[in-house]
Amino acid sequence: MLPLAALGLSACSLVPQVSGGGYAATETASHDRSTVSARSARIYAPAPVAQNNADNQCLAQLGEAGARFEPLPDRYLGQGCSNLGTVMMHALASDTGQLNVSNLGPVTCPVSSAFAAWARFGADRAAQQIFGQRLASIQTMGSYACRNVAGTSRRSAHASADAIDIGAFILADGTRISVAEGWNGNAKEREFLRVVQRSACRRFATVLGPDYNADHRDHFHFEGVIEGNSYCR
């Protein structure tokens, strides 16, 4: 992808400050934002900052869910691409500790919040039930990308950081379950991947996997937050 000139870039710096064993943040920006603290018993998140009450509420919920993240400045990137109301997730909470995530870029706060809930209550618990051990990590194939839906002239949800692609899961003992190999793999792998996909269909507006088309043979695509019925394939 060719570099894109950022339009309307707002300056934002998060400065960690230790206070009472927690982890907070301050922001310097070209516009004022209100601050809501967010803290987990297991994972400390920077205090979220947002432009409006809805964003503040979302960021607070993400922090209360145990996510370790940082809110990002809004960016208009041109060519119909943007990062508005996004965060950078570094780790999530599972039932027993920290759940790592890899290769994630900016993601909108509502999708991040849905992802955090799915990771704990859908993916991690499915791993415990099916494999008898916790999930250690979720390997994604990225989030934001300024591009169209394949084969169309319509911008992908990735172009507004409103989608996440998931390629594999790592169990506590190091076992890797990839969508590419596990979808038609052994019985437990097939069961696990279908359970986590069905769970995602209850949280995201669009969920696509290997049964959708060849472009999704190696990953799940989670897009938007469910508001009514979802498209799940």
Side-chain angles (χ1 to χ4, degrees):
M1 179 178 67
L2 294 175
L4 301 175
L7 302 178
L9 204 59
S10 59
C12 175
S13 62
L14 294 172
V15 183
Q17 296 180 332
V18 177
S19 175
Y23 183 54
T26 58
E27 182 195 50
T28 302
S30 58
H31 49 75
D32 293 331
R33 290 186 175 187
S34 57
T35 301
V36 177
S37 64
R39 178 173 177 174
S40 163
R42 291 184 297 272
I43 304 172
Y44 297 116
V49 288
Q51 294 189 39
N52 55 55
N53 289 336
D55 288 346
N56 261 327
Q57 183 178 7
C58 180
L59 291 170
Q61 290 173 344
L62 187 57
E64 289 165 2
R68 183 162 60 84
F69 68 98
E70 58 184 293
L72 300 174
D74 287 345
R75 297 188 300 165
Y76 292 90
L77 299 166
Q79 301 183 22
C81 299
S82 63
N83 289 176
L84 304 178
T86 61
V87 303
M88 182 73 74
M89 289 185 288
H90 302 295
L92 306 173
S94 67
D95 284 341
T96 57
Q98 178 172 298
L99 178 58
N100 294 320
V101 290
S102 64
N103 200 39
L104 267 182
V107 183
T108 59
C109 184
V111 169
S112 297
S113 184
F115 185 77
W118 166 82
R120 178 176 182 177
F121 301 113
D124 181 52
R125 290 190 179 178
Q128 294 179 56
Q129 293 170 4
I130 296 169
F131 296 104
Q133 57 181 303
R134 63 179 292 271
L135 193 63
S137 177
I138 298 175
Q139 295 183 335
T140 83
M141 296 172 68
S143 51
Y144 171 75
C146 187
R147 61 177 175 82
N148 292 342
V149 175
T152 76
S153 59
R154 178 170 59 88
R155 278 298 189 215
S156 166
H158 287 288
S160 54
D162 205 35
I164 300 174
D165 289 341
I166 296 91
F169 304 83
I170 308 297
L171 300 178
D173 68 357
T175 300
R176 183 175 186 268
I177 305 162
S178 70
V179 177
E181 297 179 0
W183 190 254
N184 295 311
N186 64 49
K188 285 188 175 182
E189 291 174 336
R190 294 197 304 270
E191 180 185 4
F192 172 75
L193 291 173
R194 283 159 177 79
V195 167
V196 298
Q197 184 185 30
R198 288 195 299 271
S199 176
C201 294
R202 294 191 288 270
R203 297 183 184 276
F204 299 95
T206 300
V207 176
L208 306 176
D211 285 344
Y212 179 62
N213 63 16
D215 289 336
H216 294 81
R217 65 189 178 279
D218 60 353
H219 70 280
F220 293 133
H221 170 90
F222 297 168
E223 173 184 330
V225 177
I226 192 168
E227 295 178 357
N229 295 325
S230 66
Y231 182 83
C232 183
R233 178 73 184 277

PDB file of all heavy atoms in Angstrom, residues 212-231:
ATOM      1  N   TYR A 212     -17.040 -19.114   3.537  1.00  0.00           N
ATOM      2  CA  TYR A 212     -17.569 -17.973   2.774  1.00  0.00           C
ATOM      3  C   TYR A 212     -16.996 -17.947   1.366  1.00  0.00           C
ATOM      4  O   TYR A 212     -17.728 -17.963   0.380  1.00  0.00           O
ATOM      5  CB  TYR A 212     -17.266 -16.667   3.501  1.00  0.00           C
ATOM      6  CG  TYR A 212     -17.762 -15.446   2.769  1.00  0.00           C
ATOM      7  CD1 TYR A 212     -19.116 -15.256   2.518  1.00  0.00           C
ATOM      8  CD2 TYR A 212     -16.861 -14.473   2.323  1.00  0.00           C
ATOM      9  CE1 TYR A 212     -19.575 -14.134   1.836  1.00  0.00           C
ATOM     10  CE2 TYR A 212     -17.309 -13.351   1.655  1.00  0.00           C
ATOM     11  CZ  TYR A 212     -18.666 -13.188   1.406  1.00  0.00           C
ATOM     12  OH  TYR A 212     -19.101 -12.079   0.728  1.00  0.00           O
ATOM     13  N   ASN A 213     -15.692 -17.898   1.265  1.00  0.00           N
ATOM     14  CA  ASN A 213     -15.036 -17.961  -0.053  1.00  0.00           C
ATOM     15  C   ASN A 213     -13.550 -18.275   0.124  1.00  0.00           C
ATOM     16  O   ASN A 213     -13.047 -18.331   1.255  1.00  0.00           O
ATOM     17  CB  ASN A 213     -15.245 -16.666  -0.861  1.00  0.00           C
ATOM     18  CG  ASN A 213     -14.627 -15.446  -0.207  1.00  0.00           C
ATOM     19  OD1 ASN A 213     -13.788 -15.551   0.697  1.00  0.00           O
ATOM     20  ND2 ASN A 213     -15.042 -14.267  -0.642  1.00  0.00           N
ATOM     21  N   ALA A 214     -12.871 -18.456  -0.987  1.00  0.00           N
ATOM     22  CA  ALA A 214     -11.456 -18.848  -0.936  1.00  0.00           C
ATOM     23  C   ALA A 214     -10.577 -17.770  -0.305  1.00  0.00           C
ATOM     24  O   ALA A 214      -9.525 -18.081   0.271  1.00  0.00           O
ATOM     25  CB  ALA A 214     -10.948 -19.163  -2.344  1.00  0.00           C
ATOM     26  N   ASP A 215     -10.982 -16.503  -0.404  1.00  0.00           N
ATOM     27  CA  ASP A 215     -10.193 -15.426   0.188  1.00  0.00           C
ATOM     28  C   ASP A 215     -10.120 -15.547   1.705  1.00  0.00           C
ATOM     29  O   ASP A 215      -9.223 -14.973   2.336  1.00  0.00           O
ATOM     30  CB  ASP A 215     -10.785 -14.071  -0.187  1.00  0.00           C
ATOM     31  CG  ASP A 215     -10.583 -13.732  -1.655  1.00  0.00           C
ATOM     32  OD1 ASP A 215      -9.636 -14.285  -2.263  1.00  0.00           O
ATOM     33  OD2 ASP A 215     -11.370 -12.938  -2.202  1.00  0.00           O
ATOM     34  N   HIS A 216     -11.082 -16.258   2.312  1.00  0.00           N
ATOM     35  CA  HIS A 216     -11.122 -16.392   3.764  1.00  0.00           C
ATOM     36  C   HIS A 216     -10.759 -17.810   4.219  1.00  0.00           C
ATOM     37  O   HIS A 216     -11.082 -18.199   5.340  1.00  0.00           O
ATOM     38  CB  HIS A 216     -12.509 -16.005   4.289  1.00  0.00           C
ATOM     39  CG  HIS A 216     -12.842 -14.557   4.093  1.00  0.00           C
ATOM     40  ND1 HIS A 216     -13.297 -14.062   2.884  1.00  0.00           N
ATOM     41  CD2 HIS A 216     -12.757 -13.504   4.933  1.00  0.00           C
ATOM     42  CE1 HIS A 216     -13.483 -12.761   2.998  1.00  0.00           C
ATOM     43  NE2 HIS A 216     -13.164 -12.392   4.220  1.00  0.00           N
ATOM     44  N   ARG A 217     -10.054 -18.530   3.392  1.00  0.00           N
ATOM     45  CA  ARG A 217      -9.700 -19.908   3.722  1.00  0.00           C
ATOM     46  C   ARG A 217      -8.737 -19.985   4.905  1.00  0.00           C
ATOM     47  O   ARG A 217      -8.650 -21.038   5.571  1.00  0.00           O
ATOM     48  CB  ARG A 217      -9.065 -20.597   2.517  1.00  0.00           C
ATOM     49  CG  ARG A 217      -7.731 -19.989   2.088  1.00  0.00           C
ATOM     50  CD  ARG A 217      -7.227 -20.546   0.772  1.00  0.00           C
ATOM     51  NE  ARG A 217      -5.978 -19.915   0.358  1.00  0.00           N
ATOM     52  CZ  ARG A 217      -5.914 -18.734  -0.249  1.00  0.00           C
ATOM     53  NH1 ARG A 217      -7.025 -18.064  -0.516  1.00  0.00           N
ATOM     54  NH2 ARG A 217      -4.736 -18.224  -0.596  1.00  0.00           N
ATOM     55  N   ASP A 218      -8.015 -18.893   5.182  1.00  0.00           N
ATOM     56  CA  ASP A 218      -7.005 -18.947   6.235  1.00  0.00           C
ATOM     57  C   ASP A 218      -7.273 -17.999   7.399  1.00  0.00           C
ATOM     58  O   ASP A 218      -6.399 -17.795   8.247  1.00  0.00           O
ATOM     59  CB  ASP A 218      -5.616 -18.653   5.654  1.00  0.00           C
ATOM     60  CG  ASP A 218      -5.538 -17.265   5.017  1.00  0.00           C
ATOM     61  OD1 ASP A 218      -6.585 -16.581   4.896  1.00  0.00           O
ATOM     62  OD2 ASP A 218      -4.413 -16.873   4.628  1.00  0.00           O
ATOM     63  N   HIS A 219      -8.468 -17.412   7.460  1.00  0.00           N
ATOM     64  CA  HIS A 219      -8.737 -16.508   8.573  1.00  0.00           C
ATOM     65  C   HIS A 219     -10.234 -16.270   8.772  1.00  0.00           C
ATOM     66  O   HIS A 219     -11.044 -16.520   7.893  1.00  0.00           O
ATOM     67  CB  HIS A 219      -8.036 -15.160   8.368  1.00  0.00           C
ATOM     68  CG  HIS A 219      -8.610 -14.328   7.265  1.00  0.00           C
ATOM     69  ND1 HIS A 219      -8.305 -14.537   5.925  1.00  0.00           N
ATOM     70  CD2 HIS A 219      -9.487 -13.287   7.287  1.00  0.00           C
ATOM     71  CE1 HIS A 219      -8.953 -13.651   5.182  1.00  0.00           C
ATOM     72  NE2 HIS A 219      -9.687 -12.882   5.992  1.00  0.00           N
ATOM     73  N   PHE A 220     -10.564 -15.769   9.983  1.00  0.00           N
ATOM     74  CA  PHE A 220     -11.890 -15.247  10.267  1.00  0.00           C
ATOM     75  C   PHE A 220     -11.854 -13.732  10.109  1.00  0.00           C
ATOM     76  O   PHE A 220     -10.880 -13.087  10.493  1.00  0.00           O
ATOM     77  CB  PHE A 220     -12.321 -15.569  11.704  1.00  0.00           C
ATOM     78  CG  PHE A 220     -12.546 -17.016  11.990  1.00  0.00           C
ATOM     79  CD1 PHE A 220     -12.007 -17.597  13.131  1.00  0.00           C
ATOM     80  CD2 PHE A 220     -13.311 -17.808  11.145  1.00  0.00           C
ATOM     81  CE1 PHE A 220     -12.212 -18.933  13.417  1.00  0.00           C
ATOM     82  CE2 PHE A 220     -13.533 -19.153  11.419  1.00  0.00           C
ATOM     83  CZ  PHE A 220     -12.981 -19.706  12.557  1.00  0.00           C
ATOM     84  N   HIS A 221     -12.921 -13.181   9.565  1.00  0.00           N
ATOM     85  CA  HIS A 221     -13.069 -11.731   9.429  1.00  0.00           C
ATOM     86  C   HIS A 221     -14.208 -11.295  10.341  1.00  0.00           C
ATOM     87  O   HIS A 221     -15.343 -11.726  10.167  1.00  0.00           O
ATOM     88  CB  HIS A 221     -13.388 -11.378   7.972  1.00  0.00           C
ATOM     89  CG  HIS A 221     -13.785  -9.943   7.753  1.00  0.00           C
ATOM     90  ND1 HIS A 221     -12.868  -8.950   7.466  1.00  0.00           N
ATOM     91  CD2 HIS A 221     -15.013  -9.343   7.763  1.00  0.00           C
ATOM     92  CE1 HIS A 221     -13.506  -7.803   7.311  1.00  0.00           C
ATOM     93  NE2 HIS A 221     -14.809  -8.015   7.490  1.00  0.00           N
ATOM     94  N   PHE A 222     -13.900 -10.452  11.341  1.00  0.00           N
ATOM     95  CA  PHE A 222     -14.902  -9.910  12.251  1.00  0.00           C
ATOM     96  C   PHE A 222     -15.060  -8.428  11.951  1.00  0.00           C
ATOM     97  O   PHE A 222     -14.088  -7.671  11.988  1.00  0.00           O
ATOM     98  CB  PHE A 222     -14.467 -10.062  13.709  1.00  0.00           C
ATOM     99  CG  PHE A 222     -14.314 -11.484  14.180  1.00  0.00           C
ATOM    100  CD1 PHE A 222     -13.686 -11.744  15.392  1.00  0.00           C
ATOM    101  CD2 PHE A 222     -14.787 -12.558  13.441  1.00  0.00           C
ATOM    102  CE1 PHE A 222     -13.545 -13.043  15.848  1.00  0.00           C
ATOM    103  CE2 PHE A 222     -14.647 -13.857  13.881  1.00  0.00           C
ATOM    104  CZ  PHE A 222     -14.015 -14.103  15.098  1.00  0.00           C
ATOM    105  N   GLU A 223     -16.295  -8.015  11.697  1.00  0.00           N
ATOM    106  CA  GLU A 223     -16.540  -6.634  11.249  1.00  0.00           C
ATOM    107  C   GLU A 223     -17.741  -6.024  11.963  1.00  0.00           C
ATOM    108  O   GLU A 223     -18.810  -6.622  12.031  1.00  0.00           O
ATOM    109  CB  GLU A 223     -16.803  -6.641   9.745  1.00  0.00           C
ATOM    110  CG  GLU A 223     -17.227  -5.308   9.154  1.00  0.00           C
ATOM    111  CD  GLU A 223     -17.557  -5.425   7.682  1.00  0.00           C
ATOM    112  OE1 GLU A 223     -16.959  -6.299   7.008  1.00  0.00           O
ATOM    113  OE2 GLU A 223     -18.414  -4.660   7.200  1.00  0.00           O
ATOM    114  N   GLY A 224     -17.559  -4.790  12.467  1.00  0.00           N
ATOM    115  CA  GLY A 224     -18.657  -4.055  13.064  1.00  0.00           C
ATOM    116  C   GLY A 224     -19.216  -4.712  14.315  1.00  0.00           C
ATOM    117  O   GLY A 224     -18.829  -5.803  14.713  1.00  0.00           O
ATOM    118  N   VAL A 225     -20.134  -4.015  14.957  1.00  0.00           N
ATOM    119  CA  VAL A 225     -20.784  -4.515  16.167  1.00  0.00           C
ATOM    120  C   VAL A 225     -22.226  -4.836  15.849  1.00  0.00           C
ATOM    121  O   VAL A 225     -22.914  -4.068  15.172  1.00  0.00           O
ATOM    122  CB  VAL A 225     -20.707  -3.476  17.298  1.00  0.00           C
ATOM    123  CG1 VAL A 225     -21.451  -3.970  18.531  1.00  0.00           C
ATOM    124  CG2 VAL A 225     -19.256  -3.177  17.644  1.00  0.00           C
ATOM    125  N   ILE A 226     -22.688  -5.971  16.330  1.00  0.00           N
ATOM    126  CA  ILE A 226     -24.026  -6.438  15.984  1.00  0.00           C
ATOM    127  C   ILE A 226     -25.097  -5.470  16.500  1.00  0.00           C
ATOM    128  O   ILE A 226     -25.061  -4.999  17.630  1.00  0.00           O
ATOM    129  CB  ILE A 226     -24.253  -7.864  16.528  1.00  0.00           C
ATOM    130  CG1 ILE A 226     -25.507  -8.468  15.923  1.00  0.00           C
ATOM    131  CG2 ILE A 226     -24.317  -7.866  18.058  1.00  0.00           C
ATOM    132  CD1 ILE A 226     -25.640  -9.956  16.173  1.00  0.00           C
ATOM    133  N   GLU A 227     -26.027  -5.146  15.628  1.00  0.00           N
ATOM    134  CA  GLU A 227     -27.179  -4.332  15.977  1.00  0.00           C
ATOM    135  C   GLU A 227     -28.390  -4.993  15.327  1.00  0.00           C
ATOM    136  O   GLU A 227     -28.859  -4.558  14.276  1.00  0.00           O
ATOM    137  CB  GLU A 227     -27.006  -2.890  15.484  1.00  0.00           C
ATOM    138  CG  GLU A 227     -25.849  -2.158  16.163  1.00  0.00           C
ATOM    139  CD  GLU A 227     -25.660  -0.756  15.626  1.00  0.00           C
ATOM    140  OE1 GLU A 227     -26.406  -0.379  14.689  1.00  0.00           O
ATOM    141  OE2 GLU A 227     -24.767  -0.046  16.124  1.00  0.00           O
ATOM    142  N   GLY A 228     -28.878  -6.053  15.932  1.00  0.00           N
ATOM    143  CA  GLY A 228     -29.934  -6.828  15.316  1.00  0.00           C
ATOM    144  C   GLY A 228     -29.362  -8.139  14.802  1.00  0.00           C
ATOM    145  O   GLY A 228     -28.665  -8.848  15.521  1.00  0.00           O
ATOM    146  N   ASN A 229     -29.606  -8.452  13.569  1.00  0.00           N
ATOM    147  CA  ASN A 229     -29.102  -9.696  12.984  1.00  0.00           C
ATOM    148  C   ASN A 229     -27.687  -9.507  12.436  1.00  0.00           C
ATOM    149  O   ASN A 229     -27.288  -8.421  12.047  1.00  0.00           O
ATOM    150  CB  ASN A 229     -30.023 -10.164  11.839  1.00  0.00           C
ATOM    151  CG  ASN A 229     -31.406 -10.538  12.344  1.00  0.00           C
ATOM    152  OD1 ASN A 229     -31.546 -11.054  13.442  1.00  0.00           O
ATOM    153  ND2 ASN A 229     -32.419 -10.258  11.546  1.00  0.00           N
ATOM    154  N   SER A 230     -26.951 -10.608  12.421  1.00  0.00           N
ATOM    155  CA  SER A 230     -25.604 -10.562  11.867  1.00  0.00           C
ATOM    156  C   SER A 230     -25.552 -11.407  10.602  1.00  0.00           C
ATOM    157  O   SER A 230     -26.400 -12.263  10.373  1.00  0.00           O
ATOM    158  CB  SER A 230     -24.587 -11.094  12.876  1.00  0.00           C
ATOM    159  OG  SER A 230     -24.795 -12.478  13.110  1.00  0.00           O
ATOM    160  N   TYR A 231     -24.531 -11.140   9.782  1.00  0.00           N
ATOM    161  CA  TYR A 231     -24.267 -11.989   8.627  1.00  0.00           C
ATOM    162  C   TYR A 231     -23.129 -12.901   9.020  1.00  0.00           C
ATOM    163  O   TYR A 231     -22.014 -12.440   9.285  1.00  0.00           O
ATOM    164  CB  TYR A 231     -23.916 -11.172   7.394  1.00  0.00           C
ATOM    165  CG  TYR A 231     -23.681 -12.039   6.163  1.00  0.00           C
ATOM    166  CD1 TYR A 231     -24.761 -12.468   5.399  1.00  0.00           C
ATOM    167  CD2 TYR A 231     -22.392 -12.454   5.806  1.00  0.00           C
ATOM    168  CE1 TYR A 231     -24.554 -13.285   4.279  1.00  0.00           C
ATOM    169  CE2 TYR A 231     -22.194 -13.259   4.701  1.00  0.00           C
ATOM    170  CZ  TYR A 231     -23.285 -13.679   3.939  1.00  0.00           C
ATOM    171  OH  TYR A 231     -23.104 -14.496   2.857  1.00  0.00           O
TER     172      TYR A 231
END
